[in-house]
Structure formats: structure tokens, C-alpha cells
Amino acid sequence: MSSQPPYLRAAAGIRRRIESGELAPGDRVPSTRQIVRECGVAMATATKALAALRQEGLVRAVPGIGTVVAAPPGGGPGTPAAQGNAPAGSAAQGPARARIVRTAVAFADAEGLAELSMRRMATELGLSTMALYRYVQGKAELVQLMADAVYGERPLPAVQPAHWRARFELGTRWLWEAHRRHSWMARAMASFTRPTPAPNAMAYTEWMLRAGADTGLSKNQVMHLHLTLFGHVQGLATATDLEGQAVQDTGLSSDEWMARNETQFSALGATGAYPHLNSLAGHESFALDLGQVFEFGLSRILDGVAVLLSKHSV
């Protein structure tokens, strides 16, 4: 094995995971950055490793998702290939696919996104894992469908408020509430630098862009404002999701966690190195409420936009 080129050694590690069933058809394989970290190779070597696996037919690139394990040649029972590559979301698949997505959303709400897998979903639905691949190509696509379903739960009003600020407040609070109902959304929508073709999510973006169309801001500025507000929501929602995961992992609430670590915090505070933190800790009126942090940040962002608009009108 040591005589093999580095890219073949990296490819062999992924191939073993596919052949063992650890990575099933439709699952994402390690990205080039993950291969660089895990194998200690250069980016070009990691890229060459994935190319070698593609040439073997073991993986394929899926736009908007990444590189995933390919279905076996000819397709196993219930795989997309065995179904003649019927388009996702076709009339025949629609009701069953919608049920799968609803079940997955409910599961993620209760158990978290990390616990979601094609095998677990097949069990919840009373299907074989391979049968599930008739409707979705893997976890990555399922999560994408789940997130878009959340965007379609409670549509924003077609008629927007008259004032630009009220529009952005409404749209951003709508997104915040969606993330509060489904804390896993923060991870499902992890990257807005690589958006996926999702009709309900795109409808939300369209609504937000329309909210700023008559403000006098440029199209780029309106998009930047939308992304800034989106990032504000996503950042706080991630904290909510991580807190839920921490409770599952430790069995401790945030109050119990703070009580357990009170001695260490007190010892650090006694050094005198953190006078502002110490004064805040002793201030009874302060309580960490992410809802209040959200409203504070939303107001300050829109205050800044108001200043920008006032300069435009001068």
C-alpha cells in the first residue's frame, strides 16, 4: 500500500467505506477539504482521488449537493436506476415522496438532524432502505427537501406592508420563527454561498428582494441586506440547535451546566482579568435570551439601513 501514489491511497479509504456499506448510495462522500484534513494530502491530490472514484463509477457529482455514492450498476431493487431514472418529484412519486419528507421533518424536530439517516427513515416508514432510494437519492437530498418544505409551511403574505422597514421586519421574523420551530434548519441551510434549486426557499428570497425594490438601494445592496439578515437569523438559530444537541449529549440544561461550572467561573473572575464580565454576571436584570438578541440585532441592522437611505435622499 505504501508504494501507491497518495491519491490512490486516499481513494482506497473511501472505496472501503463504500464497499462495507458505511457509505450507501446517495450518501455524500468526504469533500476535497475533508480528504486534505483526514489524509494529510494536497488539495490537488484530494481532487485526483475523487476523480479516480468517479472513473470507477463509484461516485458521481450532484449539482448543489456535492459528490455522492453512485447507485450500483443496473440498480438494486428500488434504486433510481432500477426505476428507469424516473425524475424526482414525478407524479407517480409525489404523494409518497411528500410523506417521506413530512416524516423526516417530524423526526428531525424530535431527534435532531445528526440522528437522521436513510436507514432510520426507512424504519420509520416501514420500508427497506433500498426502497427509500426510489424517492430520494440520499440524506443530502432529503435534507434539502425538508428545508424547502419548511419554507412552504406558512407562506408570507402576497401584499407586503407599505413601509420598507416593516417589510424586512416581517420577512426576517418569519424566518426566525421557522428556525425556532425547526432548530435543525440552521444546519440544513448551512451555506448560502452555494444555494440549491429549491422553489419555496427561492420564493422567500424573491419576497425579500421585492421588499427592498422601491427603497432606492441598488439590487446588490438589497441582496446584501437580505443575506445580512439571513446570516443574523442563521447564527442565532445555530446557537439554539447546538444548545439542544448539548442537552442531549450531556443531559444538563443550560442552568445546570452553569451551576456545574460555577466554581471554575468564580475562580477565573477572582483573578481580576475580566472586570466587565464580572459586573455583568452580578447584574440581576441580565438574562441571555436569544429572542431578545435577535430583536436587538434586527433593529440595529435596519437602523443602519435607515441611515444609508437618508444619505441617498440628501
Side-chain angles (χ1 to χ4, degrees), residues 132-146:
L132 192 54
Y133 285 105
R134 292 175 57 187
Y135 305 101
V136 289
Q137 295 177 352
K139 179 177 177 178
E141 185 189 24
L142 179 58
V143 171
Q144 178 184 332
L145 293 169
M146 290 162 58

Side-chain angles (χ1 to χ4, degrees), residues 102-210:
R102 287 195 303 270
T103 302
V105 168
F107 179 90
D109 288 345
E111 304 290 339
L113 200 60
E115 298 299 317
L116 180 73
S117 69
M118 294 293 281
R119 189 172 288 110
R120 288 291 298 272
M121 280 300 93
T123 300
E124 293 285 325
L125 292 157
L127 300 172
S128 69
T129 303
M130 290 306 294
L132 192 54
Y133 285 105
R134 292 175 57 187
Y135 305 101
V136 289
Q137 295 177 352
K139 179 177 177 178
E141 185 189 24
L142 179 58
V143 171
Q144 178 184 332
L145 293 169
M146 290 162 58
D148 200 52
V150 169
Y151 273 94
E153 281 180 343
R154 303 176 184 178
L156 281 158
V159 179
Q160 296 187 344
H163 195 274
W164 68 266
R165 183 165 186 141
R167 297 173 208 152
F168 283 109
E169 287 174 342
L170 174 61
T172 309
R173 289 191 180 115
W174 180 95
L175 186 64
W176 173 242
E177 289 305 318
H179 279 73
R180 297 277 272 191
R181 293 193 307 273
H182 309 284
S183 62
W184 50 268
M185 279 283 287
R187 300 192 192 194
M189 304 295 290
S191 174
F192 54 66
T193 60
R194 294 193 177 190
T196 55
N200 293 323
M202 291 169 67
Y204 173 76
T205 299
E206 178 70 16
W207 196 97
M208 292 293 278
L209 295 180
R210 181 158 61 93

